[in-house]
Structures are given as C-alpha cells and as structure tokens.
Amino acid sequence: MTKTAENERLEAVISRSIPWKKWGPYLSERQWGTVREDYSEGGDAWNYFTHEHARSRAYRWGEDGLAGISDDKQRLCFALALWNGKDSILKERLFGLTNNEGNHGEDVKEYYFYLDSTPTHSYMKYLYKYPQAAYPYADLVETNRSRSKNEMEYELLDTGVFNDDRYFDVFVEYAKEGPEDILVRITALNHGPDAAELHLLPTLWFRNDWSKWIAASNRAAEKPILKQIEAPAGTSAVVVMHSLLGKYIFSCEGDVPLLFTENETNHELLFPGQKNESPHVKDGINNCVVQSNHGAVNSDQKGTKVAAHYQFHVGGGQSKVIRLRLQSSSSDLKAKPFGKQFDEVFADRLREADEFYKSVTPPSVSADTAKVMRQALAGMLWSKQFFFFDGDNWLDEHHSNPLHHGYRNSRNSEWYHMLNQDIISMPDKWEYPWYAAWDLAFHTLPLSIVDPDFAKQQMDLMLRTAYLHPNGQMPAYEWNFSDVNPPVHAFASLFLYRAEMALRGETDVEFLKATFNKLLLNFTWWVNRKDRFGKNVFEGGFLGLDNIGVFDRSAPLPTGGHLEQADGTAWMALFSQNMLELAFEITLHDRTYEPMIMKFAEHFYYIGAAMNRPGRDGMWDEEDGFYYDLLRLPDGSSQRLKVRSMVGLLPLCATTVTEKSMRDQIPQTITMVQERLRRIPELKATIHPTGVGHLGVAERGIMALVNPERLRRILTKMLDENEFMSPYGIRSLSKFHQQHPFVLNVGGHEYRVDYLPAESNTGMFGGNSNWRGPVWMPVNLLIIRALLNFYLYYGNNFKIECPTGSGKLMNLFEVSKEISDRLTRIFLRDEGGRRPVYGGTEKFQSDPFWRDNIYFFEYFHGDNGAGLGASHQTGWTGLVAKLIQLYGSIDAKSALELGKRAAFTDVPDKTRSAAARAMAGGER
C-alpha cells in the first residue's frame, strides 16, 4: 500500500497514541425504540420510547442526531437540525416507521447518504435531502399501516414532497486540522424553482449523565456546561467545559443567535404530574424556533445543549454555506477560526482522501466501480457508533438482576456481567443501531482494507470478558443476547491475521493467541449446548437466517421433537477448520499449541461423518442431491424438510486447502491424523478424499464436507438460473419453490415455504427481513471463498457448466468470479445508465443529483437485484468492496500459483518489499 498522509495518521494512532480517532461519526441515527431505552413492563421497546418522545425526553444510554459526530465516549455531541418553516417540529433526527407501523417492519423514511470518509475521519461528507414542504409524518404511518405484507412499502418519494424538485441538498462536511480541531462546513443547495425558507441549527450538547435518575455507578460527579463567550468580530462562540473531556471552544461564523437549553426531560409535557428538573428542557430549542416560544431557551446564554440559529431564504438553484469549528483549548486559538486557511484545510483533506482511496483501489477497475467501492467503505466508516450498555445497572433498573433477591426473569437477565462502552461497527445505525455478532465478523473484512487495526479491535470486542459470557457464549444482539448467531469469528480472525501479514510483512501472534483461547471457550459452548445428544450434529435455532425454515427454528416445534440443522452442522465444520488453521499459525511460534491441530481435525472428521450419514436418517438426500434439515420426531422417526435453501448450500462452505509446506511443518500431527483415519475409516468415507493418492495441484490437500460427486450435484443446482443462480448472485431459496412450494400440515395447520424474491409475507422475526429468495451478500461471500478453495485444489481439472444448461464450461475460479461480478453488478450502472439496486425508482435512476449516491441495502431482489430491507446496511453489504478489490487484483493463474496468499495480495505496489511479498498470507 502506498504511504499517504492518511496512512501516516493511522500509524500515529497506534505508534504514538495520537488521538486522530477520538472524534468521529459515533452518534446513532436512532436511539429511540431501542432495547436499552426500554423500561416498559412487557418489553415493548418500539412503543415505550417513540420518535414523538425523542425531542422532549433525555436518553439514558446514548444519543442520536443528523449527520452527527461525538467523542469516543459520547460525552459531547454535535449534529445538524433543520426547519423549513412548515414542519411541525425541527428535523433533529431521522424519522421512520416502527415494526408495527410498517407493512414490512421498521423502516427509515428519509433520504441520506454517506458519501465519503477516511478511517481517521480526517475528512467526512454526508448528504441529507430535505423537502421544502411539510414532512408527511402521519401520511407515511397511516398509509404503510394500511398496506398488507403482499404490497410494496409506501416511500417518501411516493408522498409527492419531492415534486418539482422542491427540496434542499444539505451537505455536511468535516475536516480535521488536528486530532482535536474539527472544521465543519454545511452547504444547503435549493434544487427547487423558487426561493424557499431554511433554518440551519448546528447543535452541540452533552449526553445526560448527571440527572438524579441515573444510577450512581454511571452518574457524573458534576454537571458539564456550555456558555457563550466573547468572540472575534463576525463570530459567535461557546466555551465547553466537562470534567472528564476538558475544555473546548465552539465557534460559529457570523453574528448568529445562540439558543441554550438543557438536555433534560420535559416531564411536565410527557408525564403530567411530574416536575421538570430545570425550567429549560430538551425540546426548548424546538419550541423556541417552531412555536416562537422564546422563554423556552435560557436567556442567561448557558446550558447543556446549544444551537446556532441561521435563517435564510435561498433562491432557486442557489446555495448557502455556514462554517463552524470545534477546538480543544490546547489547540492554537490565536488565529481567527475562519478565513482562507479554513477552506485550505478542507481542500487538503479531500485531496488526501483521494490519494488514500487511490492507494487501496485496484487500478484495473472502472471509475464507476471505484466509486461504488469508495462509497461502500465510506458507509462502513460512517456506521461506527458508540454503544453503551451496563448489564448489571440496566437489570437492576428492571428488577431483573439475578444477583438480587426477588428478581423477575426478563430479557437478557443472564447477561448481568456485560459492560459495553465502545465504538462498534453497526449493521445500520437507524434500523439496527446495535451490534450483531456475526454481522460484525463480516464487517471486519472490508474494514481491513482501510483500517486493519480497527478491524482487529472489532474482532477482539466480542471476545472480551465484558462481552463474552462466562460460559463461552458470544452475545448475539440486544433484543436477545442469548440468541445464537453463526460462529464466524474464527473465520474472520484468520482472515485479518493473514491480511495484516500480507500488508505489513509481520505477524501479531499475541492477537492470534488471545483470540484463539477465547474462541476455544466459544467452541466448547457450542459443543456442549447445541449438540443435544453428543452426535456431532448441531442445532442453533434461526442462526441468522430468520425465516428460511418452514418453522420458526428458534421456537418449540409444532411437531414436537427437534431439528438437526444442516446449516448449524456445516457452520461447526467450518469453525473446526478455522480453529485448526489458527492453531497451526500459532504453532509456528509456540509448539505447545500443536495438539490443538489434532483436536480440531478430529472434530471436523466427526462432524463430517455425522452430517454425511447415509440413508434416510441423514441430512443428505441422494435422490435430490442436496442437504436438508432433519426433523427428529418424539417417536424416534425422522423426516427431511425438503426446502432447497441456503441451508443446503452452506455445507459447501466448510472447505479449506492445506499446502504441502504446512503439512511438512507438523509431520507428527499429520501421522496421528492418518493413523486415526486408518483405524476409523468411516470418518473419511463420505467426505472429500485427500492425502496420499488424492492430492491436488501443487500437492495441496483438502478438507471438505462434500465429496467430488456431491460437489458437482450441488453446484448443478446452485448454478441453475431456474433455481439458485440469479443475475445478481446466489439466491437464499431456490426459484424451484415458486412453482413447487414446500407444504407441511401439522395438526390441521399448514406450514409452507414459497419462493419470495422480494419482501417477506410473514411476520416471522419481525417481518423486516426475508431469506426465502433474495440475495444476501455474506453467504455469497462464503460460497465464493469455498469455490476459490476448491479451485486451489483442482485447478482446471474440475469444470462445470455455468450457468447450468448454458453449455459454457468454467473452472471454479471463473465460477467464483462470475458470482462476484453478478453481485457487484447490483450497484453498477448498466448500458442504459441504470443501477439495478434502485429497481423501478425513477428518481434514483435518472436524476443526476440522485443516481450516483449509492445505497447498500440489507438484501436484494432475487430476480432484478433491487435493494430491500435496511437501506444503509453497509455493514455486511460493504463486502462488495472486498470483492471489487479481490477480483481487481488477481486472476486464475496467479491465484493457483499463490494459493491462499492470493486473497491477501495487495493491489500491485512496487513500494512493498520483497520480504513482505514473500510473507503475504504465509506460504502455508
């Protein structure tokens, strides 16, 4: 990687503890409606703390805002508020439907875009599209609530508020002069034909950690303060004083009014009969501006929340710019905060951002592809959020702490050990403003392109004692920490280790050891808790695939009995392989870990033999050539649930190759494995053959659940465009079920699975996601990984029709690239200039001010590639950036020569040393 100014900042963070990342986009897009803020008796988070309450009620565990930033403990926050003179309230936060209001679950109803960000947030850019007409809050709620699950959602564009382009593009940009000197530039462009009113209210406030209702363990010793001070001519300024954060100066260009209030709940409004803590409360600025209630703000010009009130009439096609600056008192405050230097800093940081992204983008890709990659990575970086949760404190407040007598069991009661107060990569800061364990593992792959140290920190978080349960379980997500996500952290940890070795030419064995030891606890938890009868077949519930099964797999089965899950068992086979590889990497530096290689090899073979058990009692269906979940009934009988879904493709993913050089370094262990297989030949009878007489290209060995015949049969279905192969990737459910739905009758009730390429038609798991047809990026990535491993073993000795029936034979590298190209095509402009991701939404397809601002949705229509679900789930959909980088840097020939190193080979860069190149990924 070319050394850029941004790389130097990243290095300074690690080597010299320079706090370039102290300030960043760490505000949530939605704090209301979260589990952390829910203190209802029945756990009704959506209705306990609503959007309507958010402007008047202080949050307990975090803050939200529009295009906002905060420090890394979210003590001080900054965001933009807007008013167009017509809305009933200030636009202080994004609006969306709750789970019960939306016909397909919760959904944000705003248009905003994460356009750019560097990993240290030295430069960031955000776009919000603000209608000039009154925002149609009631219309959106009522119309969506009245629609069925078989109808499309009613979107903001459908309401007509953007007709005639009567809206503002509001750009919010940040540039850092220094780690604690943050320049802000806000530009509002009127796209409409006529002049329009616009109020810009850049707002600074403290997270409330001082009120008496906050537990003593988390309550601040003293209340912070914001206060207006004298400023240079043509400037308004506020001093910020916080006992832990220190002293800052907030400067606003122009002689602009400053409106002060307190970030405290308006009890008298929301809870009649209760007194306010202060005469000035959280909604004071809203009430002053919108209702002209000037007594709602503090005339003494001090408080814990302040907004500068800029008022404009912006002509049609014209724009207005405001400039602000937040500096620590230790910064150089002698110069005026605004002037020529201000714009020069922005120009420098943007140029440096361009240089940085050029250094990580393959030169072979098109300009449009590079744009997609950069916006995907920007979205990943904007999706960082401060997440605060004190399990012991929260459960105390809910009378649900098992450490205390008389507690009542409730949500997350067993997680009282947790103390989360970190910056975490979120799936989507509006729809999912809470971490999800398996999402986070996938996030680290694209994040490693721009900030490998942050990616490693994210991987480490879930394994810390403040997160990982003492029994070894990893927390799933705040709605139910005890739910079960697929065990992909070992896969991601191995990836990050090899990526860092390729980038820096050095290893971080201590990171690997610490990670391995904690993952060993998690692996043991899986074996002890999810292998019900010790048969090496696994359950796990929904395992992140929500509604993919005919039943809710996390609930008691209507038939009684239990499921032996093809995906759960495949995940554990992959987990075993990953742990084996991690153990090998550590063994190169510490031979005491070598027995762990044997341990996990045995686990893999035991799982393989159990999963591939022949006959009617196994998951493999010889007639169909596919894997299915097995329903074990109370009377001892069993039945395969013949749903052709991603569940049956995941066994492909438990595949890895072993280089000859790897085997040569552990001869005793290899001998032990061979002896075990000689004594128990059943262990190798149904998996892919390997070893003497069965070595692949370059004498590579292979560990794979599926043997060559099964591989070909599964791929024939997977690559069939009438089954799994979509023009835009691999579907989560076969299109076969469009004409042949799976139906099961139990006790007079019909359970069925139909091919649904778009949204779900059920309320299972909230109804806001769908695994019955759409394309999902993370499982596609794992399929691509598996195909690349098979290719390293077979080379050109295994070819298959792709697509099935086309007559076109491809090797497995070519197949993997074909799938990657189809996934990437979702976001790229086609020959007609249209992006499949935007489907039939004409505004996004044809308007030059919309069409190049890209959303990275949660999942995609199984037939036309249109984006569905959460609109800003750049989290794992950001994996497209990794695919662009990978296939922009390697070809089939170099992949076969380099082996596993190929996936970690940097964009061609002559500045990297030969030694670093030689160590790239390790010649294992």
Side-chain angles (χ1 to χ4, degrees):
M1 181 185 291
T2 304
K3 184 66 68 70
T4 67
E6 181 63 14
N7 291 120
E8 291 175 356
R9 282 188 282 269
L10 286 167
E11 287 183 7
V13 172
I14 299 301
S15 63
R16 294 183 285 139
S17 300
I18 306 298
W20 279 106
K21 298 182 191 174
K22 179 175 179 178
W23 295 89
Y26 308 143
L27 275 185
S28 176
E29 304 281 13
R30 176 178 63 82
Q31 184 68 15
W32 59 274
T34 61
V35 167
R36 279 156 293 147
E37 300 295 340
D38 177 25
Y39 288 79
S40 65
E41 286 294 320
D44 186 4
W46 282 111
N47 291 313
Y48 177 77
F49 201 132
T50 64
H51 178 270
E52 182 70 15
H53 277 199
R55 70 177 177 278
S56 304
R57 189 173 174 183
Y59 292 125
R60 172 70 177 82
W61 297 99
E63 295 290 334
D64 59 18
L66 200 64
I69 63 171
S70 76
D71 66 278
D72 55 10
K73 294 301 178 184
Q74 206 167 93
R75 296 183 174 112
L76 181 64
C77 309
F78 172 86
L80 177 64
L82 302 158
W83 192 49
N84 56 18
K86 300 183 180 69
D87 282 346
S88 57
I89 58 174
L90 287 183
K91 178 64 68 176
E92 294 181 275
R93 58 188 51 80
L94 298 171
F95 173 75
L97 306 177
T98 68
N99 185 264
N100 292 328
E101 291 170 342
N103 59 325
H104 295 292
E106 61 266 32
D107 189 41
V108 68
K109 297 298 183 186
E110 307 268 15
Y111 298 118
Y112 59 104
F113 305 88
Y114 304 133
L115 296 182
D116 211 354
S117 180
T118 57
T120 65
H121 312 296
S122 58
Y123 179 76
M124 297 194 297
K125 188 174 185 179
Y126 180 111
L127 168 61
Y128 176 71
K129 291 185 177 287
Y130 187 41
Q132 293 167 10
Y135 189 92
Y137 293 101
D139 182 23
L140 286 166
V141 172
E142 292 163 7
T143 304
N144 276 286
R145 185 182 275 154
S146 68
R147 292 191 175 187
S148 73
K149 293 190 179 298
N150 293 317
E151 294 178 275
M152 294 181 68
E153 296 175 4
Y154 182 60
E155 303 291 4
L156 187 56
L157 275 169
D158 299 329
T159 68
V161 293
F162 287 95
N163 289 355
D164 301 321
D165 289 330
R166 294 181 185 275
Y167 70 94
F168 293 100
D169 265 346
V170 182
F171 295 94
V172 181
E173 294 175 277
Y174 297 93
K176 293 181 181 178
E177 167 75 358
E180 300 210 67
D181 186 358
I182 304 159
L183 286 58
V184 187
R185 183 168 64 195
I186 300 171
T187 305
L189 170 63
N190 180 358
H191 280 283
D194 303 316
E197 181 179 1
L198 179 65
H199 299 241
L200 298 175
L201 294 104
T203 305
L204 193 70
W205 74 100
F206 294 110
R207 174 169 58 87
N208 189 329
D209 62 359
W210 61 83
S211 287
K212 60 185 179 183
W213 42 266
I214 294 174
S217 59
N218 286 312
R219 193 185 309 141
E222 58 185 90
K223 185 176 178 178
I225 190 168
L226 304 168
K227 185 168 60 176
Q228 184 165 9
I229 58 174
E230 284 191 26
T235 306
S236 300
V238 174
V239 65
V240 177
M241 289 183 285
H242 189 286
S243 59
L244 297 176
L245 191 61
K247 183 178 178 182
Y248 291 78
I249 303 298
F250 178 54
S251 303
C252 309
E253 187 175 35
D255 188 14
V256 59
L258 300 176
L259 309 178
F260 287 84
T261 190
E262 303 290 342
N263 185 20
E264 295 175 356
T265 298
N266 189 341
H267 293 280
E268 294 171 7
L269 173 69
L270 299 178
F271 311 109
Q274 295 186 25
K275 291 291 185 183
N276 288 339
E277 299 173 61
S278 163
H280 305 102
V281 287
K282 184 177 178 180
D283 55 17
I285 296 170
N286 175 88
N287 296 344
C288 175
V289 175
V290 178
Q291 301 173 9
S292 298
N293 179 2
H294 300 290
V297 294
N298 191 342
S299 58
D300 291 337
Q301 299 301 96
K302 62 182 181 180
T304 50
K305 178 179 178 181
V306 62
H309 187 191
Y310 292 89
Q311 304 179 56
F312 302 109
H313 273 81
V314 187
Q318 302 299 306
S319 62
K320 294 291 183 182
V321 179
I322 64 172
R323 303 191 296 180
L324 311 117
R325 192 165 189 164
L326 179 66
Q327 301 167 276
S328 74
S329 60
S330 60
S331 302
D332 181 9
L333 300 177
K334 296 177 183 177
K336 291 184 178 180
F338 310 105
K340 183 180 178 182
Q341 183 197 17
F342 187 97
D343 291 327
E344 288 175 349
V345 170
F346 267 99
D348 288 344
R349 295 298 172 267
L350 179 56
R351 175 180 48 79
E352 292 163 359
D354 291 342
E355 291 169 353
F356 175 77
Y357 277 104
K358 183 178 180 181
S359 76
V360 299
T361 304
S364 61
V365 304
S366 70
D368 192 41
T369 305
K371 181 193 296 289
V372 169
M373 180 176 172
R374 181 164 176 171
Q375 286 193 34
L377 293 168
M380 301 283 313
L381 295 167
W382 267 98
S383 295
K384 295 179 183 181
Q385 179 186 312
F386 175 72
F387 187 92
F388 184 29
F389 176 76
D390 181 336
D392 182 62
N393 184 182
W394 191 87
L395 289 168
D396 277 351
E397 294 170 348
H398 288 72
H399 312 291
S400 302
N401 194 324
L403 297 177
H404 299 158
H405 292 294
Y407 88 99
R408 60 181 178 84
N409 189 51
S410 70
R411 176 182 282 141
N412 297 326
S413 287
E414 60 272 38
W415 293 84
Y416 53 86
H417 75 285
M418 293 186 83
L419 179 59
N420 305 165
Q421 44 184 349
D422 297 284
I423 303 301
I424 307 181
S425 175
M426 295 295 155
D428 179 316
K429 290 204 298 185
W430 192 93
E431 190 148 341
Y432 305 114
W434 32 261
Y435 62 83
W438 82 304
D439 296 56
L440 186 59
F442 286 108
H443 295 183
T444 63
L445 275 63
L447 282 169
S448 69
I449 297 172
V450 291
D451 193 350
D453 293 301
F454 179 71
K456 283 170 59 182
Q457 290 163 9
Q458 295 300 285
M459 193 54 51
D460 175 63
L461 274 182
M462 296 297 110
L463 300 175
R464 292 181 186 172
T465 54
Y467 290 78
L468 189 72
H469 197 280
N471 67 17
Q473 184 177 12
M474 203 172 291
Y477 45 80
E478 69 171 24
W479 288 92
N480 183 2
F481 285 127
S482 294
D483 224 330
V484 184
N485 277 181
V488 289
H489 271 62
F491 152 71
S493 297
L494 187 64
F495 178 95
L496 294 177
Y497 175 79
R498 288 173 172 164
E500 183 176 35
M501 187 156 50
L503 178 68
R504 294 172 174 162
E506 58 187 20
T507 60
D508 188 348
V509 180
E510 294 308 310
F511 163 76
L512 212 58
K513 281 186 176 182
T515 299
F516 181 87
N517 294 337
K518 293 294 183 68
L519 286 171
L520 186 59
L521 295 176
N522 184 238
F523 188 93
T524 304
W525 177 86
W526 269 91
V527 170
N528 290 338
R529 296 293 183 94
K530 295 303 172 183
D531 178 9
R532 186 181 297 234
F533 299 108
K535 294 165 54 180
N536 293 293
V537 290
F538 291 83
E539 302 172 56
F542 87 116
L543 285 175
L545 307 188
D546 292 14
N547 66 336
I548 202 165
V550 65
F551 308 125
D552 179 347
R553 300 192 302 170
S554 290
L557 302 179
T559 59
H562 67 280
L563 285 177
E564 293 179 358
Q565 295 181 213
D567 55 339
T569 307
W571 286 123
M572 284 303 290
L574 176 62
F575 197 177
S576 300
Q577 292 174 346
N578 297 147
M579 292 295 281
L580 182 155
E581 292 192 86
L582 288 170
F584 169 75
E585 295 289 351
I586 300 171
T587 296
L588 295 178
H589 306 274
D590 184 343
R591 303 302 294 192
T592 63
Y593 279 79
E594 186 167 352
M596 287 296 175
I597 301 174
M598 181 66 185
K599 168 185 170 62
F600 287 106
E602 288 185 300
H603 275 293
F604 170 75
Y605 290 123
Y606 296 151
I607 292 169
M611 183 164 199
N612 289 331
R613 184 172 53 247
R616 298 178 61 185
D617 208 28
M619 297 179 189
W620 173 257
D621 189 288
E622 185 62 30
E623 181 181 358
D624 289 359
F626 206 71
Y627 287 96
Y628 299 114
D629 282 348
L630 193 68
L631 175 61
R632 293 282 184 185
L633 295 166
D635 64 3
S637 63
S638 62
Q639 176 183 352
R640 293 192 192 105
L641 300 178
K642 293 193 173 187
V643 179
R644 294 184 194 172
S645 73
M646 187 59 66
V647 165
L649 295 180
L650 283 171
L652 282 177
C653 300
T655 302
T656 192
V657 294
T658 59
E659 300 284 354
K660 180 180 183 299
S661 57
M662 169 185 175
R663 301 192 303 275
D664 288 347
Q665 294 181 75
I666 49 171
Q668 291 182 323
T669 298
I670 295 298
T671 300
M672 290 171 62
V673 170
Q674 291 170 342
E675 177 64 11
R676 178 56 54 89
L677 295 177
R678 186 188 70 80
R679 289 180 175 274
I680 314 177
E682 295 85 356
L683 294 179
K684 63 178 182 179
T686 56
I687 62 173
H688 198 293
T690 192
V692 178
H694 298 286
L695 296 176
V697 173
E699 297 187 66
R700 293 185 179 114
I702 190 169
M703 299 179 75
L705 283 179
V706 299
N707 62 31
E709 179 191 354
R710 291 184 182 182
L711 173 62
R712 191 169 291 278
R713 295 186 72 185
I714 293 170
L715 289 180
T716 298
K717 281 189 170 58
M718 189 183 84
L719 301 177
D720 188 336
E721 293 181 320
N722 293 313
E723 291 226 25
F724 287 97
M725 187 71 147
S726 154
Y728 304 100
I730 303 300
R731 301 178 176 108
S732 51
L733 186 83
S734 172
K735 199 171 183 178
F736 168 83
H737 292 299
Q738 187 172 45
Q739 301 299 324
H740 307 280
F742 178 81
V743 179
L744 185 66
N745 288 289
V746 179
H749 185 81
E750 180 182 278
Y751 295 85
R752 64 183 290 145
V753 175
D754 295 270
Y755 173 69
L756 302 170
E759 301 282 13
S760 172
N761 64 357
T762 77
M764 193 184 296
F765 286 91
N768 63 323
S769 70
N770 182 25
W771 284 83
R772 295 184 177 181
V775 173
W776 291 75
M777 192 69 69
V779 285
N780 270 261
L781 178 105
L782 289 175
I783 288 170
I784 288 170
R785 172 197 171 275
L787 292 170
L788 288 172
N789 273 277
F790 277 119
Y791 174 70
L792 296 183
Y793 176 83
Y794 282 111
N796 288 317
N797 298 319
F798 187 109
K799 293 190 176 183
I800 195 164
E801 273 190 316
C802 180
T804 299
S806 67
K808 183 177 182 180
L809 291 177
M810 292 187 182
N811 64 40
L812 294 182
F813 179 92
E814 292 166 336
V815 172
S816 75
K817 186 175 185 303
E818 176 66 21
I819 295 171
S820 176
D821 287 347
R822 291 182 181 220
L823 292 165
T824 306
R825 192 184 303 155
I826 291 171
F827 307 98
L828 299 176
R829 294 173 70 176
D830 63 19
E831 316 79 57
R834 301 174 73 84
R835 300 186 191 274
V837 64
Y838 287 134
T841 308
E842 197 57 38
K843 191 74 171 171
F844 277 95
Q845 294 289 17
S846 58
D847 192 311
F849 297 103
W850 294 65
R851 67 186 182 194
D852 291 331
N853 302 320
I854 301 162
Y855 278 164
F856 296 88
F857 286 86
E858 185 179 4
Y859 51 98
F860 302 90
H861 195 290
D863 294 336
N864 63 36
L868 299 164
S871 59
H872 287 70
Q873 191 149 346
T874 320
W876 63 22
T877 300
L879 287 165
V880 69
K882 188 63 198 174
L883 293 176
I884 290 169
Q885 186 199 47
L886 176 64
Y887 287 99
S889 304
I890 64 168
D891 55 25
K893 183 175 182 292
S894 62
L896 207 58
E897 291 174 355
L898 291 169
K900 288 187 177 182
R901 289 183 298 153
F904 306 99
T905 300
D906 201 0
V907 177
D909 181 359
K910 295 179 181 178
T911 65
R912 213 157 48 116
S913 70
R917 289 182 179 279
M919 293 185 66
E923 183 65 65
R924 307 300 187 212

